[in-house]
Amino acid sequence: ETGVTQTPRHLVMGMTNKKSLKCEQHLGHNAMYWYKQSAKKPLELMFVYSLEERVENNSVPSRFSPECPNSSHLFLHLHTLQPEDSALYLCASSQEGPFRGAHKNIQYFGAGTRLSVL
Amino acid sequence: GESVGLHLPTLSVQEGDNSIINCAYSNSASDYFIWYKQESGKGPQFIIDIRSNMDKRQGQRVTVLLNKTVKHLSLQIAATQPGDSAVYFCAESDQFYFGTGTSLTVIP
C-alpha cells in the first residue's frame, strides 16, 4: 500500500462516453499529479496541483479535464477520447509541490487506471 | 530540452549476481536525483535518492553513484533477486521527466 488509491483499476469506454478517474491520497500531502504511461514511451506528466491550485498543465488536450476539490482528492474527467488515449493513467502525490525542496518532492504513486478507448 | 534518460532499455541478470542500471542527465544544475522501481501492475515506487553534494549513497542492497563530471547516475543492486524484476526510472527532483526506464529481468 502506497497511501494513494486509484479507481477504477480498469476502464473501457467508447469515444463518445464521459467517464472520470478518481485518485485519493491518505498521506497528508499537498501536491497531486496525473501522468500518462503508454507502452514504450516515457511517463508523461499531464497536470500538477499544489494546495488545490493547478500549477502545471503540460499541453494536454481539452478532452482531459482535471479537478482537485481538496488536497486529498484528484479527478480526471474524460470526454470524447480517442483510441490513442488508451494507456495507464497514474496518480501521484508528494509532500510539497514542485520546486519546494528536494526530499519533499518524492512522489508516491497509485497503481493506476488501465484505460482502453474503443 | 533538459532531460534524464537511461542507457539500456533492457537488462537480464542471473539471480544472485549484481545489477547495474545507468542513467544520464543533461541539466548540470540538477541537485537532486531519485530512483523509482515499477513492478508489473503497480505504479513507480521510490527506492533511493541522492543529492548532488554526494557521490554515493547506500541503502539496503542498493547503492546509487553520482558522477557530476559526466552527468551520470547508476543504481547498483547487490545479489539480485527475482523480486527485483521491474522497470527502473531515474528522475530529477524538480522536473517530472522519467525517461523510458530500464527493464530488469532476473533469471532464476
Side-chain angles (χ1 to χ4, degrees):
Chain A
E1 276 300 322
T2 65
V4 180
T5 303
Q6 289 188 246
T7 55
R9 290 295 311 274
H10 302 273
L11 178 63
V12 179
M13 60 187 289
M15 289 191 283
T16 58
N17 293 157
K18 287 185 183 180
K19 296 285 185 184
S20 295
L21 309 185
K22 179 183 176 182
C23 177
E24 183 174 1
Q25 57 97 357
H26 311 276
L27 302 168
H29 288 169
N30 290 323
M32 296 186 77
Y33 312 76
W34 279 117
Y35 288 87
K36 176 184 178 182
Q37 188 174 37
S38 305
K40 310 293 184 189
K41 290 187 177 181
L43 264 168
E44 299 174 44
L45 177 67
M46 300 176 74
F47 302 103
V48 181
Y49 276 83
S50 180
L51 295 172
E52 299 150 47
E53 285 191 34
R54 192 188 310 178
V55 296
E56 184 83 20
N57 180 344
N58 227 17
S59 302
V60 179
S62 59
R63 57 185 184 269
F64 295 92
S65 174
E67 179 190 1
C68 188
N70 55 62
S71 59
S72 298
H73 293 86
L74 185 65
F75 294 90
L76 187 63
H77 303 300
L78 315 173
H79 178 48
T80 59
L81 295 192
Q82 304 298 310
E84 60 264 29
D85 296 322
S86 299
L88 180 67
Y89 288 84
L90 290 161
C91 172
S93 70
S94 63
Q95 186 176 345
E96 298 291 347
F99 319 111
R100 295 292 297 274
H103 71 282
K104 296 178 180 178
N105 280 353
I106 294 172
Q107 294 177 59
Y108 294 79
F109 286 82
T113 295
R114 174 69 61 187
L115 174 68
S116 297
V117 181
L118 305 179
Chain B
E2 307 288 11
S3 67
V4 293
L6 290 139
H7 288 305
L8 291 173
T10 61
L11 177 66
S12 295
V13 298
Q14 206 71 35
E15 182 178 357
D17 287 352
N18 297 333
S19 303
I20 299 176
I21 300 170
N22 295 302
C23 178
Y25 64 96
S26 59
N27 184 359
S28 56
S30 294
D31 62 356
Y32 180 64
F33 303 89
I34 307 170
W35 280 97
Y36 291 90
K37 170 187 179 183
Q38 185 175 20
E39 296 176 79
S40 180
K42 297 183 180 180
Q45 306 298 316
F46 169 79
I47 304 174
I48 192 168
D49 55 359
I50 188 167
R51 295 180 185 271
S52 61
N53 61 355
M54 304 169 71
D55 296 323
K56 179 179 179 179
R57 188 156 190 227
Q58 285 186 290
Q60 189 176 18
R61 284 200 306 117
V62 294
T63 300
V64 57
L65 299 178
L66 175 61
N67 185 330
K68 294 181 286 293
T69 302
V70 295
K71 291 184 281 189
H72 180 270
L73 280 163
S74 67
L75 178 72
Q76 300 179 1
I77 305 173
T80 313
Q81 302 169 1
D84 295 324
S85 293
V87 178
Y88 291 81
F89 298 93
C90 65
E92 297 167 271
S93 178
D94 59 352
Q95 295 184 22
F96 304 98
Y97 184 77
F98 286 74
T100 51
T102 291
S103 177
L104 174 66
T105 300
V106 181
I107 305 165

